[in-house]
Amino acid sequence: MPKLHRLHWIDAQVRAGRYPNARTLAAAFGISHRQALRDFEYMRDSLGAPLVYSAAHRGFTYGESPFVLPGPYVTETQQAALGHLARYYEAVAEHDRDAGPVYADLAGLFRRLSGLGSAPARAARGAEQPLPLVPYRAILAGPSRPAPLQPFYRGRAPDGKLIVEFHDPDAFLCALWDAPGCRIESPRWLRERLRVRAERIVADNRDMTRHVTPAAVNLSQEPGMAPGSKSERRMAMEKRRGAVGARFVEGWMSYVGAVQGVLDAAGMGPWEYWRLMGETGMAFHLVMHETCCISSVTVYDWMNTHSAAMSRIGVLSEVYQALPGTPTYDAACRRAVVNIRESIDNGVGVVLWGVDTGEFGVVHGYDDEDGVLLTSGCWGSRGRPILYENIGRTFPGAPVLHYQIMLERVPTDERQTARSALQHYVDLMDRPGHIAPGYRAGLLAYDNWIQGLQTEGFSGTGCRYATFVYTEARECAARYVAHLAGADPALKPAADAFRRTAEIYGRMMKVLGQDLSDPSPLEAPVSAEQAAALVPLLREAKQSEAETVALVQRYLETSA
């Protein structure tokens, strides 16, 4: 659950007529923009808040439906019971023709209270139900069961110290601030997270407290952890666990952002984002679901695509994948921890699915004592640690184990790399089918996109997200092919065609009021007028793309 105090802040801001949005929420609490977006989504989808986006005020307000923010705490046991009740009444509603609507309403209420959302979540292929996540566990020293920590309390250790469990580290630390006298004994990563937060708060208020000596953060110190500079403490931490310098590089294509962070830190770079997008072929990516589902961007053949992308740039890699519901899934998850730790020990980070959310990210370290992988993803350089037991399960919507280990980079011929990337573009655009029903790739993706916008109930968030991702991708493609044309003038017609397609996407962004540097419009619905305006632009983009494919194909045939 997102932090309760953030939800109360949103509610108070809405009732005061201040029209909060993800930008103001992120600024108020020092969180990432994407995390702020998920708080609004949680209020709307899980708590049933009638949030309505006002384009005039660039923020949210409540619709006409009455809404009261639920009480502060629902324990994990209560959440599980409510979830069972939701599923029970869903089943009853399906078989009771007379009272079905009443039972369906009850099921919806129980789903929202349990945190399952307002509509049943579709499990990943092969999974009959969401896979349970093991909670984080911490040991605290301090007074007996302080009230703010009551929801997290799980008992006492043999030495009398408190045992707490939680799924959201930030929510737990927020409660810990209000529990005087408590100190974190373990895990180390949680102590470090608290220290970083405390230092940030002090730094942000330094001009207001220059005459005040701040109290020391109440943490349990270990031998070798004498107070010192931030860099000294970080070095001491690194000596007690495996870590590398790989960090996620911000970009709308999270796989490429993770790859760049890993390659640059491992000495297999440096890379510029646009060039890495082009040479790997990821700049040409285009997939769309018939309802414009937000999953469209990430539904493709990860195994073959990611392996070929790295091979194209001369990087030897190993790609691992396991699907839930298969006999070897649990064994593959256990083996993944071993493989990832070995890569970290060799000085190379790992690309992993499900870091912080349904995106790719970087594993840059591990801590055996705490049993966690240290991550960096789209929520920031210091991502949420992943318990060894939870690897593969961190994103409930798609609990797929997928990770890629980079082994070495060998010299490549730039011309051959370019031809391979351009051939991949032609093959992708002409692809007749897709790996999943309802999805289409290449030129046929435009048909799905247009069909979705003309169908009631399409995903506005999915449409906006895809427009962000594919606009950035088309900009990278245009820049990359223009770079190639500088050395080979025969590619100039194709480069000009790529630029025309990118400009059409730029006009689509204007219709939606979006800019690549500002993700805040993601939270706004797509109006009927905007959807209607996008349709002719998508038809124009498809025509431009088809012309580009023909020019690239001609180049490949005549320059062989």
Side-chain angles (χ1 to χ4, degrees):
M1 176 184 288
K3 290 184 184 178
L4 185 63
H5 69 292
R6 293 204 303 264
L7 303 184
H8 280 292
W9 183 89
I10 294 172
D11 183 69
Q13 293 288 305
V14 169
R15 296 185 188 283
R18 296 185 181 131
Y19 295 91
N21 57 31
R23 183 190 292 274
T24 56
L25 178 62
F29 292 95
I31 60 176
S32 72
H33 190 277
R34 294 190 185 187
Q35 189 172 357
L37 281 175
R38 284 166 175 78
D39 284 357
F40 282 101
E41 291 172 357
Y42 181 86
M43 284 192 69
R44 182 191 64 214
D45 299 335
S46 295
L47 300 183
L51 286 170
V52 177
Y53 186 81
S54 169
H57 298 89
R58 296 185 68 83
F60 285 97
T61 185
Y62 285 146
E64 296 181 358
S65 302
F67 174 73
V68 177
L69 198 64
Y73 296 119
V74 177
T75 68
E76 292 178 17
T77 301
Q78 291 168 338
Q79 282 185 327
L82 289 167
H84 285 303
L85 285 172
R87 286 185 282 270
Y88 171 76
Y89 281 109
E90 284 168 0
V92 173
E94 292 178 0
H95 295 89
D96 192 321
R97 294 182 179 180
D98 297 326
V102 176
Y103 290 127
D105 286 343
L106 281 173
L109 172 63
F110 288 136
R111 289 189 69 86
R112 291 194 296 273
L113 292 175
S114 67
L116 292 175
S118 57
R122 290 188 300 176
R125 185 174 57 185
E128 296 181 357
Q129 58 185 8
L131 300 177
L133 288 176
V134 175
Y136 298 107
R137 171 171 287 207
I139 303 298
L140 309 179
S144 175
R145 299 178 65 167
L149 301 183
Q150 184 64 29
F152 311 101
Y153 180 76
R154 295 296 180 271
R156 287 190 173 272
D159 58 3
K161 293 175 181 175
L162 303 179
I163 300 174
V164 294
E165 291 183 347
F166 50 91
H167 287 282
D168 186 341
D170 294 326
F172 172 72
L173 290 179
C174 179
L176 187 63
W177 284 115
D178 296 326
C182 287
R183 65 178 183 273
I184 301 173
E185 296 287 324
S186 67
R188 281 195 294 259
W189 66 264
L190 189 63
R191 289 203 306 269
E192 182 66 9
R193 201 178 187 96
L194 176 60
R195 178 181 284 111
V196 169
R197 175 175 291 190
E199 289 174 346
R200 185 185 302 130
I201 292 173
V202 171
D204 290 344
N205 295 275
R206 185 162 291 138
D207 59 333
M208 301 172 60
T209 59
R210 61 169 62 99
H211 301 300
V212 179
T213 302
V217 179
N218 198 7
L219 303 175
S220 176
Q221 298 289 339
E222 295 185 359
M225 280 294 288
S229 68
K230 186 185 297 184
S231 60
E232 290 172 337
R233 288 198 300 271
R234 186 179 295 114
M235 289 178 62
M237 292 288 288
E238 302 300 316
K239 291 178 180 178
R240 295 203 306 273
R241 63 190 185 193
V244 295
R247 295 297 185 274
F248 181 82
V249 175
E250 193 67 32
W252 283 98
M253 187 78 72
S254 64
Y255 170 71
V256 176
V259 167
Q260 183 179 352
V262 169
L263 294 181
D264 284 354
M268 300 184 202
W271 287 95
E272 292 181 271
Y273 184 82
W274 64 268
R275 186 161 184 173
L276 186 60
M277 284 278 285
E279 292 199 0
T280 59
M282 296 303 295
F284 311 124
H285 179 64
L286 184 63
V287 176
M288 181 57 66
H289 187 259
E290 57 194 10
T291 64
C292 302
C293 178
I294 196 171
S295 65
S296 299
V297 172
T298 53
V299 176
Y300 58 93
D301 183 355
W302 292 349
M303 286 285 288
N304 290 319
T305 301
H306 294 169
S307 178
M310 291 301 97
S311 179
R312 199 169 283 125
I313 62 173
V315 173
L316 177 65
S317 69
E318 294 177 343
V319 184
Y320 298 84
Q321 183 166 299
L323 300 177
T326 58
T328 58
Y329 178 76
D330 290 339
C333 290
R334 292 193 299 270
R335 176 57 56 179
V337 174
V338 176
N339 293 339
I340 291 173
R341 289 171 67 255
E342 182 178 347
S343 183
I344 298 296
D345 289 342
N346 290 333
V348 182
V350 175
V351 176
L352 176 68
W353 166 255
V355 172
D356 288 335
T357 182
E359 298 283 358
F360 293 96
V362 175
V363 179
H364 61 81
Y366 67 87
D367 189 321
D368 279 340
E369 183 175 327
D370 294 339
V372 295
L373 301 174
L374 308 175
T375 67
S376 170
C378 60
W379 288 4
S381 61
R382 188 181 296 273
R384 181 174 294 180
I386 297 175
L387 290 168
Y388 290 169
E389 299 92 334
N390 287 340
I391 189 169
R393 298 166 166 82
T394 48
F395 183 59
V400 178
L401 173 68
H402 181 94
Y403 61 103
Q404 188 169 17
I405 296 176
M406 313 302 175
L407 300 176
E408 63 176 299
R409 186 182 179 193
V410 299
T412 57
D413 180 89
E414 183 176 350
R415 186 170 184 273
Q416 287 303 115
T417 298
R419 289 185 62 84
S420 175
L422 292 173
Q423 186 62 60
H424 171 68
Y425 169 66
V426 172
D427 294 341
L428 176 65
M429 288 298 113
D430 289 338
R431 187 170 297 170
H434 194 63
I435 63 170
Y439 296 84
R440 286 179 169 180
L443 294 175
L444 294 179
Y446 286 107
D447 297 336
N448 262 17
W449 203 337
I450 293 169
Q451 173 188 329
L453 291 174
Q454 296 175 328
T455 303
E456 185 178 357
F458 73 89
S459 171
T461 302
C463 176
R464 287 185 176 276
Y465 182 57
T467 306
F468 270 121
V469 173
Y470 296 144
T471 297
E472 181 193 70
R474 266 51 196 166
E475 281 293 329
C476 289
R479 187 173 178 183
Y480 173 63
V481 179
H483 163 75
L484 297 178
D488 188 350
L491 259 177
K492 190 176 187 311
D496 292 341
F498 272 108
R499 174 49 57 192
R500 286 194 295 273
T501 303
E503 289 171 352
I504 296 170
Y505 273 83
R507 284 149 54 196
M508 290 167 56
M509 292 282 281
K510 287 183 179 180
V511 167
L512 293 172
Q514 298 181 178
D515 184 273
L516 287 176
S517 63
D518 178 16
S520 61
L522 268 175
E523 63 203 44
V526 175
S527 69
E529 293 77 13
Q530 288 173 321
L534 286 177
V535 169
L537 289 175
L538 285 166
R539 291 196 177 107
E540 186 180 350
K542 181 182 179 182
Q543 179 62 34
S544 177
E545 200 93 66
E547 294 170 359
T548 306
V549 171
L551 289 169
V552 172
Q553 183 65 58
R554 188 178 310 152
Y555 167 80
L556 292 172
E557 291 172 352
T558 58
S559 63

